[in-house]
Amino acid sequence: MSKKTPKESFLTISVYLTGYSQVDLLGTGMLDTYYNTFVENLEIENVTTYFKEVDQILDNSGNSEEKINEGITKVLFGSALVSLTTNLITMWYTGNWGQDVISPESYTQGLIWNAAQAHPPGAKQPGYGSWADEPIEIPTI
Amino acid sequence: MNDHEYDVVIVGSGIAGSVLTKTLTQAGKKVLLLEAGLQAGIAFDAEKNFQNYQYYLNTFYKAGAKVPNSPYPNIEDAQSINVLDIEKITPENKPTTNGYLVQEGPLPFASDCLRGPGGTTLHWLGSTPRMLPNDFRMKTEYGVGVDWPITYDELKPYYEMAENEIGISGDVEDQKVPEKVVGDKTIYYNVDRTYGKDYVFPMKKIPQSYLDKVCMNRSKGLKVELNKVVYDIVYSSTPQGRNSIPDPRYKLTGITWDQRAKKLVLHRKDDYEYQPVGSNWDPYTGQRCEGNASCVPICPVQAKYNALKTLRKSDPEYLAIITQAVASRIFYDKGSNDITGIEYKKYKYADSTVFETKVAKGKIYVLAASAIENAKILLASGIANSSDQVGRNLMDHFVMLTWGLLPEKGFPYRGPGSTTNISTFRDGTFRKEHSAWISPIDNWGWAWPTFAPGTDLSNALSEGMFGKKLRAHLNDVITRQLLLHFECEQIPDPNNRVTIDPKYKDQLGNYRPVIQYQSTEYMNKAMEAAKKVSDQIFKAYGVEDFTDYTMKNADAVKYNGKVYNFWGAGHIVGTHRMGSSKEHSVVNPDQRTWDHDNLYLVGCGNMPTIGTSNPTLTMTALSFKAAESILKQLEKNEDHGSTFSKKQFETT
């Protein structure tokens, strides 16, 4: 049995769903907001089901990334849970829940801009003339 | 208040209205400025100004669709056009009445503007190429459109004023653009002649993007063929109204009214150093473009010029501003045809249906409320229209977009919207057959046509991608996106027009603009030609073409069996054009209406043709010309004894 809290499970599975490390995800400062948004937008029984499935994937994987990915594809991208899963990933990548921007902060913390080696338009500006060169690579964990 | 409390009543605080307000008050003329938008947006107090702007910025962050007007309040009492309201027009749904405009079609007009303090300069991109000398004589050179009543050379001193006022960053040498091809030789405009020997912009050019360099490197010496003529692909850095490093060679200090010479003078001082104009809340913020990559719709640090920077330079002793005041009608004396007042409706607060109707009075009146709004107010008042040209000749650039994936990373979504343009087709004898166009390289990926990168994410998710694979896929795709614009010049067409209809009014009882808009063979042919050129450029770049045009798009035309889509450029031009005769135009070269001696119109509505330039710079030059004419007229009257005392008066 997993001793993780649902929020810990949320964070751990988010690492595998987004392709970003725990440090990257925590670095956005959005974990609490996103976890709360996820839970608040779901019926309680769906929350329970989702985290039960997540914990099963994590607990039965023996820490094998390959096995976790298999579980994600099979269960979290299965017809019952796929929309929740894509909403969860979209939230980390764009700061949106569905079509709605969760908050001004969530927009500026969207990971899609990191993936694009850019920055959210209107925030985290890289400075005068930066656009004339290749983006600077900041190594992440 | 007596009938002549003010020298000049100005409607609208956009760039045209602000240039006039600044110039006239600095010359000691009393100005009443009416602004339809909210009081908060005009705040001269630094703290309030900052707070209001942060509100705009947070509204932008929070907006689901980050369209040009998304950061700004859209007040029911003075609605702005919103591009999200544009829909396809069919025989069944016409006219479409979503939002502010009533669109009769057959094609929807796809550009917006902002009704509020500072006007559309709050969300403009800031590109400021001058028009080319041949743009002013389209009829003579190419047999299409009309000639301007003034030449490029006559407008040149006012261009210099506009470039000083906006604060342009650019490289004059790069404005050596092709004029025509003769045999196998390209003839270029000579910048020593068009700009003047040794002329420089106030600031050095905004650095061209990494993406620009990728494109230029992949197409060195590229020639394209169009209708059996071979053209050199020529790249020009784009002059723009955003702050960069001051050019020490720039010695033009500012513009004042020379009372004795009766003209505006742009002063020169040899030991002068240009200082970039920072934000409206703090002069040390926004001294340089910081690369926010959000110029449209909002520059967070105001390194990009906006009209409120000019308005703040007005002499407060001579300025009264009334906000939340929507001009509705203009009164005139039926004997003399002189304007006697502007009726406005002052609403209590945003969206309120409670308002007071008042009349503003001055010696001279100026409409600076945008091309569409100016025309609408004139039509509602039944004035200035002996030529029957009011509202007609509505123009925009048809922006045909082409997009694809580069074979290498160009790293878009960084820097100002565009820093380089392909200037090859800005002029040439082909204009006898089809439109000219300017082709900016877009620094913001596929955002405009496909809503990327959000759609790249949703597409990948729908394919079941997640985790490291998703992240790598997005990195691969988004960093290689390329978008080119082909901004095609629209020719004046009397049937493209703004009208009014008593059936369509807003909640204050003011008319909503009714638009009729169509494409012509001249435009369609240009899109066909532009796509052929795009194909050759993409081939040279090694770009995989993902351009997708469909009849489902709001603005779609079929030409020679192929579908083309175009988008609005936000360049709303031509609705009360200037000309050399009162039979064919609404204003004369002084920007004064032919029909009313004390009524001036300013803004892009005065432009007889649009050329291939973003119109703001040219319109600003014309606004300085209007200011000069107004000062001449006022002082001519004062010479006849009707001066009045200077006194401080309250700002409502």
Side-chain angles (χ1 to χ4, degrees):
Chain A
M1 279 299 284
S2 168
K3 291 195 177 65
K4 285 193 280 285
T5 65
K7 196 192 281 181
E8 283 164 349
S9 300
F10 179 85
L11 178 60
T12 308
I13 200 67
S14 289
V15 170
Y16 293 99
L17 288 174
T18 62
Y20 279 90
S21 73
Q22 223 180 77
V23 171
D24 288 327
L25 298 184
L26 289 171
T28 65
M30 298 309 292
L31 174 64
D32 289 348
T33 304
Y34 290 166
Y35 174 72
N36 292 339
T37 303
F38 188 73
V39 171
E40 279 165 18
N41 280 285
L42 265 50
E43 299 295 333
I44 185 70
E45 48 271 34
N46 292 340
V47 175
T48 314
T49 312
Y50 198 81
F51 286 116
K52 212 175 112 191
E53 298 290 358
V54 165
D55 286 344
Q56 262 182 18
I57 292 169
L58 295 174
D59 292 346
N60 299 336
S61 66
N63 282 333
S64 151
E65 189 173 343
E66 203 185 323
K67 279 198 170 162
I68 293 174
N69 286 345
E70 274 172 25
I72 289 172
T73 302
K74 202 171 144 207
V75 182
L76 300 187
F77 272 82
S79 58
L81 300 179
V82 64
S83 69
L84 287 186
T85 304
T86 55
N87 274 357
L88 196 161
I89 298 173
T90 302
M91 190 157 60
W92 283 109
Y93 267 87
T94 67
N96 281 21
W97 181 261
Q99 295 299 312
D100 296 330
V101 181
I102 294 165
S103 68
E105 292 72 27
S106 72
Y107 163 70
T108 63
Q109 294 302 331
L111 291 171
I112 197 165
W113 306 108
N114 305 46
Q117 293 174 266
H119 62 95
K124 299 184 184 174
Q125 65 272 37
Y128 179 77
S130 55
W131 57 87
D133 300 313
E134 286 185 75
I136 295 168
E137 286 285 353
I138 298 167
T140 52
I141 298 161
Chain B
M1 191 191 294
N2 69 40
D3 281 3
H4 290 292
E5 177 81 52
Y6 301 100
D7 290 313
V8 184
V9 176
I10 298 171
V11 179
S13 68
I15 186 165
S18 289
V19 160
L20 282 163
T21 302
K22 186 205 96 165
T23 311
L24 297 175
T25 57
Q26 286 188 351
K29 306 303 170 197
K30 290 181 181 177
V31 169
L32 170 63
L33 177 63
L34 299 176
E35 168 51 52
L38 295 176
Q39 171 74 28
I42 218 143
F44 281 79
D45 170 83
E47 185 61 30
K48 284 182 180 158
N49 191 298
F50 178 75
Q51 280 172 12
N52 181 66
Y53 205 72
Q54 291 309 300
Y55 170 78
Y56 290 168
L57 188 59
N58 277 314
T59 308
F60 159 71
Y61 288 158
K62 192 77 174 55
K66 291 180 164 46
V67 295
N69 276 339
S70 60
Y72 310 105
N74 193 4
I75 307 302
E76 284 296 318
D77 309 291
Q79 288 181 68
S80 291
I81 305 167
N82 189 336
V83 292
L84 294 174
D85 291 327
I86 295 161
E87 58 181 325
K88 196 168 179 69
I89 302 171
T90 63
E92 290 74 40
N93 73 357
K94 101 175 198 182
T96 61
T97 57
N98 270 345
Y100 183 48
L101 296 182
V102 176
Q103 300 236 31
E104 294 190 335
L107 291 171
F109 187 72
S111 281
D112 65 4
C113 57
L114 178 60
R115 288 172 82 195
T120 309
T121 54
L122 266 67
H123 82 215
W124 75 317
L125 177 56
S127 298
T128 54
R130 290 187 188 180
M131 287 178 70
L132 303 172
N134 284 345
D135 293 339
F136 294 80
R137 40 177 200 255
M138 287 292 288
K139 188 78 185 170
T140 304
E141 289 287 331
Y142 306 118
V144 294
V146 288
D147 287 352
W148 286 45
I150 53 175
T151 63
Y152 174 88
D153 287 336
E154 284 169 308
L155 196 58
K156 193 163 128 188
Y158 302 96
Y159 267 136
E160 292 175 2
M161 291 180 201
E163 284 159 352
N164 176 270
E165 184 61 46
I166 294 172
I168 303 299
S169 297
D171 184 340
V172 170
E173 274 305 308
D174 288 358
Q175 308 317 309
K176 187 184 141 191
V177 306
E179 183 183 353
K180 60 187 160 194
V181 175
V182 179
D184 57 0
K185 203 167 177 286
T186 304
I187 313 287
Y188 291 85
Y189 280 106
N190 176 353
V191 290
D192 283 350
R193 212 197 72 65
T194 48
Y195 282 80
K197 210 170 166 359
D198 301 329
Y199 182 77
V200 292
F201 293 118
M203 290 169 277
K204 294 178 180 176
K205 74 174 170 189
I206 289 279
Q208 289 167 278
S209 67
Y210 180 81
L211 174 67
D212 294 336
K213 291 175 205 164
V214 167
C215 292
M216 290 189 276
N217 284 336
R218 298 188 78 87
S219 59
K220 278 186 181 143
L222 177 64
K223 293 173 187 297
V224 295
E225 194 189 313
L226 183 63
N227 299 324
K228 297 187 182 121
V229 181
V230 175
Y231 297 88
D232 293 329
I233 289 299
V234 177
Y235 295 93
S236 304
S237 64
T238 304
Q240 42 202 293
R242 59 176 50 77
N243 291 333
S244 79
I245 298 164
D247 189 328
R249 296 169 297 174
Y250 188 75
K251 300 294 176 194
L252 301 174
T253 61
I255 305 135
T256 60
W257 169 242
D258 183 330
Q259 207 162 12
R260 234 178 272 168
K262 298 274 184 250
K263 61 178 199 173
L264 289 177
V265 179
L266 179 52
H267 298 275
R268 162 182 284 277
K269 206 170 149 213
D270 287 339
D271 60 352
Y272 177 71
E273 284 180 2
Y274 182 83
Q275 177 81 8
V277 180
S279 75
N280 284 321
W281 61 85
D282 168 27
Y284 301 108
T285 296
Q287 287 268 319
R288 298 287 185 279
C289 170
E290 298 178 5
N292 266 288
S294 63
C295 327
V296 183
I298 186 166
C299 175
V301 297
Q302 293 193 347
K304 181 188 75 175
Y305 171 86
N306 66 70
L308 297 172
K309 294 189 182 189
T310 293
L311 186 63
R312 292 169 74 79
K313 295 188 209 154
S314 304
D315 186 337
E317 197 184 336
Y318 298 97
L319 174 61
I321 302 176
I322 305 178
T323 53
Q324 301 175 195
V326 189
S328 47
R329 250 192 319 170
I330 302 176
F331 301 118
Y332 69 105
D333 181 286
K334 294 209 167 56
S336 66
N337 263 354
D338 280 351
I339 304 302
T340 55
I342 295 183
E343 179 193 80
Y344 64 94
K345 294 172 180 172
K346 183 164 169 62
Y347 57 92
K348 266 190 122 73
Y349 49 84
D351 302 330
S352 171
T353 53
V354 178
F355 64 91
E356 279 182 276
T357 303
K358 296 183 173 185
V359 178
K361 290 189 173 267
K363 289 177 179 173
I364 286 178
Y365 298 85
V366 183
L367 288 187
S370 84
I372 288 178
E373 212 58 29
N374 280 358
K376 189 201 87 177
I377 295 167
L378 295 175
L379 292 169
S381 313
I383 63 167
N385 199 17
S386 63
S387 63
D388 187 34
Q389 293 301 307
V390 171
R392 293 188 186 274
N393 311 304
L394 172 66
M395 289 173 274
D396 189 5
H397 288 115
F398 276 29
V399 187
M400 193 190 82
L401 302 172
T402 61
W403 58 99
L405 288 182
L406 282 159
E408 64 180 294
K409 291 180 179 181
F411 300 108
Y413 299 95
R414 302 185 310 140
S418 181
T419 37
T420 297
N421 67 81
I422 300 168
S423 52
T424 302
F425 293 96
R426 290 189 62 193
D427 199 3
T429 46
F430 60 82
R431 289 173 103 175
K432 290 175 185 169
E433 309 297 326
H434 62 73
S435 319
W437 64 78
I438 189 168
S439 282
I441 298 174
D442 193 310
N443 284 332
W444 296 343
W446 298 358
W448 195 0
T450 74
F451 304 104
T455 45
D456 298 309
L457 173 68
S458 52
N459 291 341
L461 289 174
S462 69
E463 288 170 27
M465 268 188 234
F466 63 89
K468 286 177 182 160
K469 194 177 165 196
L470 171 69
R471 183 177 164 182
H473 168 77
L474 292 174
N475 179 264
D476 175 54
V477 171
I478 300 171
T479 55
R480 292 191 293 125
Q481 289 180 353
L482 174 71
L483 177 69
L484 294 184
H485 300 196
F486 295 81
E487 306 199 358
C488 304
E489 172 183 23
Q490 202 172 1
I491 287 299
D493 176 345
N495 296 317
N496 286 343
R497 63 189 296 205
V498 180
T499 58
I500 52 171
D501 181 333
K503 275 197 295 206
Y504 301 107
K505 290 189 173 177
D506 66 18
Q507 71 173 26
L508 296 189
N510 291 327
Y511 285 98
R512 288 168 58 188
V514 179
I515 309 287
Q516 291 161 26
Y517 196 62
Q518 64 180 4
S519 177
T520 59
E521 166 102 16
Y522 191 78
M523 303 299 307
N524 298 344
K525 222 176 191 172
M527 290 194 282
E528 180 185 56
K531 185 65 172 68
K532 284 179 186 164
V533 170
S534 175
D535 290 346
Q536 294 172 69
I537 293 172
F538 274 16
K539 197 176 164 203
Y541 290 170
V543 159
E544 185 185 354
D545 197 342
F546 280 80
T547 307
D548 181 24
Y549 300 141
T550 152
M551 283 311 284
K552 284 183 194 152
N553 263 38
D555 276 310
V557 296
K558 203 174 227 175
Y559 185 67
N560 284 338
K562 283 194 178 158
V563 176
Y564 299 92
N565 291 147
F566 66 90
W567 287 258
H571 302 159
I572 312 179
V573 166
T575 52
H576 41 75
R577 70 182 180 192
M578 165 181 34
S580 51
S581 82
K582 84 186 295 266
E583 286 74 32
H584 301 107
S585 59
V586 182
V587 298
N588 68 18
D590 288 334
Q591 319 297 292
R592 180 161 74 165
T593 56
W594 291 106
D595 294 345
H596 309 277
D597 284 346
N598 63 342
L599 178 63
Y600 286 77
L601 308 177
V602 289
C604 294
N606 286 348
M607 293 169 61
T609 57
I610 191 169
T612 58
S613 299
N614 313 55
T616 299
L617 181 80
T618 301
M619 172 265 261
T620 306
L622 289 171
S623 299
F624 277 109
K625 197 169 189 311
E628 188 175 70
S629 308
I630 290 167
L631 285 165
K632 269 190 216 169
Q633 187 176 345
L634 280 170
E635 301 214 340
K636 197 170 150 198
N637 292 343
E638 281 173 17
D639 289 346
H640 293 103
S642 65
T643 49
F644 33 69
S645 63
K646 292 179 182 179
K647 80 168 169 71
Q648 173 98 35
F649 43 91
E650 65 183 301
T651 300
T652 315

